[in-house]
Amino acid sequence: MLELQVEISFPGFTLSVSETWPAKGSVALFGPSGAGKSTLLRIIAGLERSAAGQVRFNGTCWQDSHTRTFIPPPQRRAVLVFQDSRLFPHLNVIRNLHYGMTRRRGQEGPDWEHVISSFQLHDLLDRRTESLSGGEKQRVALGRALLAAPRLLLLDEPMSALDTDRRDQLLPELARLCDQFAIPVICVTHSELELRELGAEAMKMVQGKIVSRAWQDRTQQDTTGPAKSLGDVSEHGVWLAARFVGIAQGGLVECQLGDETVFARRSTGSCTIAEKPGSQIRVGFDPRAVVLARDPPSGVFSYGRIKANLISVDESRGQQGQLLCLSVNGELFTMEMSGDVLRPSLPTVGEPLYLILSQPAVTNGIAETGGAD
């Protein structure tokens, strides 16, 4: 069994989960962005040491704030696959995969050839990670995770970067390997296909709590969520000018965009600048990890918000929905808003909007110095 009695607080948000799940099969977490799904995975993986309460797996205590017990991530072998893959940029694909093998610690798990074949990695082995597409990186990350022979596999929207055909090919292989080697899975997903393919039990999270166990609830707008939610957006990365404020808890960089605060992780290989308040830096974010809201939300965990003005809406250019032109401190950029079930209506031109970040932004002005993201 996986036993969770955990709580962690951030400004304006508290996650509190008390659950017992079988350490077999799959559990799917779904819910609005900022509900705490990724944070819960981080706690289970051992990446949130400050979380209060207890995490137990198959009778072994992984974390207990009362007794000050804390088993580090390598010993837990609860392998977390992030949305952005987190491959080592200084290693090519084959060496990234070999790193997974070094973490097996003699445990039985999927063998090399099986993983390479299942995730169609043969043609990628000699490639540098920076030359890979988003979908290729995600396939490598999944392969590396399985080669580590995890006790527990934690997946944060693992198929989000894959096209439909590739996802349809890989999902059955992932499900089969996890079933063959009895690897339990906890997966954050918004896809009913992933839920069904993994045979997962659905758990809906809202504002840091498990509120239901019915996948059908995904289509119901959350009355407890951010006011006037508009839905998710897609497109490419966006970079904006910001000011350096300081280093926050966990090593994140605190930045100021206008009157709003965002938190960012340091990008590998970024240039070194003087870490002085007021220093100008560039901050980038993935629009796919953004929720738009007309009103500043409360009670929802995020890595900050960005206030923007809506300049125009083009309903003909978006592939999945409307293409929004936005302005932040005079910088213009476009983002596509998808047809999300949470969206009650389109925004109007001239209306201020808030971009709520569900994962850290990235800075390119401060050098990587270590620390948690």
Side-chain angles (χ1 to χ4, degrees), residues 88-359:
F88 297 119
H90 62 290
L91 302 179
N92 64 7
V93 169
I94 194 169
R95 293 178 68 190
N96 266 279
L97 293 170
H98 272 300
Y99 176 79
M101 294 288 291
T102 65
R103 300 182 64 189
R104 294 176 79 102
R105 299 176 183 269
Q107 301 297 318
E108 183 181 1
D111 63 73
W112 177 270
E113 286 300 328
H114 210 152
V115 169
I116 300 304
S117 174
S118 296
F119 291 95
Q120 302 167 23
L121 300 176
H122 282 109
D123 294 338
L124 305 180
L125 295 179
D126 294 326
R127 298 264 300 274
R128 302 289 299 180
T129 57
E130 65 266 21
S131 72
L132 302 178
S133 68
E136 289 169 341
K137 289 179 180 178
Q138 206 67 359
R139 284 154 52 199
V140 175
L142 286 167
R144 183 177 67 179
L146 285 172
L147 287 171
R151 286 197 188 102
L152 177 63
L153 186 60
L154 307 171
L155 305 176
D156 195 349
E157 297 196 59
M159 303 293 171
S160 60
L162 302 178
D163 59 58
T164 301
D165 290 341
R166 186 76 72 176
R167 181 191 64 183
D168 292 347
Q169 294 171 7
L170 296 187
L171 263 175
E173 289 297 319
L174 175 63
R176 186 173 58 80
L177 285 173
C178 290
D179 181 65
Q180 178 181 348
F181 292 93
I183 301 171
V185 178
I186 301 177
C187 179
V188 171
T189 182
H190 296 286
S191 166
E192 186 168 3
L193 173 64
E194 291 177 23
L195 176 83
R196 291 180 173 177
E197 195 68 55
L198 293 172
E201 180 180 0
M203 303 283 177
K204 183 176 183 179
M205 287 193 73
V206 174
Q207 294 190 348
K209 295 178 174 60
I210 304 292
V211 298
S212 72
R213 290 167 173 78
W215 178 253
Q216 290 73 21
D217 290 347
R218 73 197 185 281
T219 59
Q220 299 175 4
Q221 184 171 342
D222 298 302
T223 58
T224 57
K228 301 180 182 178
S229 175
L230 295 172
D232 295 329
V233 292
S234 57
E235 252 292 313
H236 301 292
V238 175
W239 289 87
L240 299 169
R243 296 287 180 181
F244 173 75
V245 175
I247 304 300
Q249 183 178 5
L252 292 177
V253 179
E254 182 178 349
C255 310
Q256 198 80 18
L257 279 80
D259 295 329
E260 304 297 336
T261 298
V262 300
F263 295 92
R265 58 184 176 84
R266 302 174 177 92
S267 61
T268 302
S270 57
C271 61
T272 302
I273 66 170
E275 292 186 349
K276 296 180 180 179
S279 300
Q280 186 167 342
I281 56 177
R282 299 289 289 178
V283 171
F285 63 91
D286 183 350
R288 293 172 300 180
V290 167
V291 167
L292 293 176
R294 286 192 175 99
D295 295 335
S298 60
V300 174
F301 172 66
S302 73
Y303 287 94
R305 66 191 188 199
I306 301 170
K307 186 176 181 180
N309 290 319
L310 179 62
I311 305 301
S312 66
V313 180
D314 191 334
E315 299 190 24
S316 63
R317 292 177 58 198
Q319 296 181 357
Q320 302 179 39
Q322 290 72 24
L323 193 67
L324 308 183
C325 179
L326 301 169
S327 172
V328 173
N329 298 329
E331 293 191 85
L332 296 177
F333 58 95
T334 58
M335 295 199 306
E336 184 179 346
M337 184 169 71
S338 63
D340 193 276
V341 294
L342 295 177
R343 188 187 68 208
S345 63
L346 283 173
T348 58
V349 173
E351 182 179 6
L353 296 174
Y354 289 88
L355 284 64
I356 314 303
L357 306 185
S358 63
Q359 66 183 33

Side-chain angles (χ1 to χ4, degrees), residues 15-34:
L15 179 146
S16 181
V17 172
S18 181
E19 293 283 330
T20 299
W21 297 331
K24 62 180 180 179
S26 303
V27 170
L29 296 174
F30 70 98
S33 296

